[in-house]
Amino acid sequence: MKPFSYERAASPAEAAAAAARRPGARFIAGGTNLLDLMKLQIEVPSHLIDVNGLALDTIEPTPEGGLRVGALVSNTALAADPRVRRDYALLTRALLAGASGQLRNKATTAGNLLQRTRCPYFYDTAQPCNKRRPGSGCAAIGGFTRQLGVIGTSDACIATHPSDMAVALRALDAVVETVQADGATRTIPMADFHRLPGETPHIETALQPGELITAVVLPRPLGGRHIYRKVRDRASYAFALVSVGAVVQPDGTGRVALGGVAHKPWRVEEAETELPRGARAVTERLLAGARPTRDNAFKVTLVERTLGSVLAEARG
């Protein structure tokens, strides 16, 4: 690791202000992704701001009938919360599909949203990568692309976002709450939180420099059947080739979000109008404009078949 300085923040606003004052600073909580990246010198923060003492580790009801999940709630605690298990089962199932029990004990809600891609070329510092070094090129394009994106990609990046939790939050229409360096707060819909790569794949979210996530807000429960289906190369501790998060109502309507196919959790609301017609009709709308490679063209078919399995389960 490269040398870095360290401080503990006393409040969310103080943490955001400290990050804005120190270029190259990073927030650290569970550290399940950041520490690995620091060991590999992919991330080389000059300053770490410890946010573990900010009392953002509770799950509370909102006046609108939803839940406010603190940024520091662990993945284990969130998945096990009785209210989440009852009313947001999609979220519980997505969380339990991710990582290992030990990692879920440490990983936080905010950190899960902010984890970086597992593209092998991003992790190989001998290869060019526009995420690691903007303007250096993308070694994945023309390389081995089986695990990489099929839609929403660009000529600068074809990486995918690895979070299972984020797929569920996108389907549930969650909202991210933040505090900025000047102390002002704002809310960011999950639909707008993660960015597509375009020409700036190193800018992965809508967060401004120094901005700190304080909570994720779940709206009123949707009801219906909640299903998360993750297809991967081995049964545990692996990232999705394709995942489908769905909430299906008794009349066949519902919501669908995908993981493993794009730079962000992939949801196209217009495609959901096709749910009563079946998986093929939905997939055609969901993946319209897809640009798969020779290595990962199978993902288009895999989305349709996985979604078909999910819809069959939802219908009993």
Side-chain angles (χ1 to χ4, degrees):
M1 284 189 184
K2 298 291 186 181
F4 58 88
S5 53
Y6 171 89
E7 69 175 289
R8 292 178 178 172
S11 71
E14 180 182 304
R21 286 196 304 269
R22 299 288 296 266
R26 294 289 188 273
F27 301 118
I28 187 166
T32 59
N33 188 206
L34 178 61
L35 290 178
D36 284 344
L37 295 174
M38 289 173 65
K39 291 172 184 177
L40 295 170
Q41 296 186 19
I42 295 169
E43 291 269 9
V44 285
S46 59
H47 186 65
L48 290 183
I49 301 166
D50 190 333
V51 296
N52 281 294
L54 299 187
L56 299 174
D57 58 352
T58 59
I59 304 173
E60 302 171 338
T62 66
E64 296 76 22
L67 291 176
R68 176 173 286 103
V69 180
L72 296 175
V73 173
S74 74
N75 288 179
T76 295
L78 182 57
D81 186 276
R83 296 162 295 182
V84 177
R85 289 169 59 89
R86 181 188 67 228
D87 296 329
Y88 307 96
L90 174 59
L91 180 55
T92 288
R93 289 168 178 155
L95 284 163
L96 293 178
S100 65
Q102 295 94 327
L103 285 172
R104 291 195 296 269
N105 288 342
K106 291 296 292 182
T108 63
T109 298
N112 193 306
L113 286 179
L114 295 173
Q115 64 182 299
R116 305 200 69 187
T117 184
R118 264 55 178 197
C119 172
Y121 297 97
F122 172 74
Y123 273 81
D124 184 352
T125 55
Q127 300 286 341
C129 173
N130 288 317
K131 279 185 171 295
R132 272 190 286 102
R133 191 156 57 87
S136 63
C138 176
I141 296 175
F144 183 66
T145 57
R146 181 172 181 271
Q147 294 182 316
L148 302 179
V150 299
I151 193 162
T153 57
S154 74
D155 292 338
C157 182
I158 59 172
T160 57
H161 195 273
S163 172
D164 294 291
M165 183 188 79
V167 176
L169 293 179
R170 179 67 182 93
L172 294 169
D173 275 338
V175 173
V176 179
E177 294 185 340
T178 71
V179 61
Q180 296 175 293
D182 60 0
T185 61
R186 68 166 176 153
T187 59
I188 308 170
M190 270 299 297
D192 302 326
F193 183 78
H194 294 103
R195 292 167 47 112
L196 291 178
E199 296 302 314
T200 55
H202 60 292
I203 304 175
E204 298 174 342
T205 72
L207 295 175
Q208 300 297 317
E211 193 167 9
L212 174 72
I213 297 173
T214 55
V216 172
V217 178
L218 299 170
R220 291 177 62 88
L222 293 171
R225 293 287 303 275
H226 290 223
I227 300 169
Y228 188 75
R229 186 68 50 81
K230 181 177 181 179
V231 182
R232 45 191 164 178
D233 284 328
R234 58 179 184 267
S236 66
Y237 199 58
F239 297 97
L241 289 170
V242 161
S243 63
V244 174
V247 179
V248 184
Q249 303 298 338
D251 63 0
T253 61
R255 300 179 179 182
V256 174
L258 305 179
V261 299
H263 203 254
K264 60 187 291 186
W266 192 256
R267 182 180 172 202
V268 179
E269 282 83 342
E270 294 81 0
E272 293 163 0
T273 62
E274 304 287 349
L275 276 169
R277 294 183 55 205
R280 175 165 296 181
V282 177
T283 301
E284 287 176 354
R285 296 284 294 273
L286 263 175
L287 297 184
R291 298 195 305 170
T293 68
R294 181 180 63 182
D295 294 334
N296 66 18
F298 72 93
K299 285 193 177 190
V300 176
T301 303
L302 189 57
V303 166
E304 180 183 335
R305 293 180 178 176
T306 307
L307 178 56
S309 174
V310 166
L311 294 180
E313 180 180 343
R315 293 164 183 153

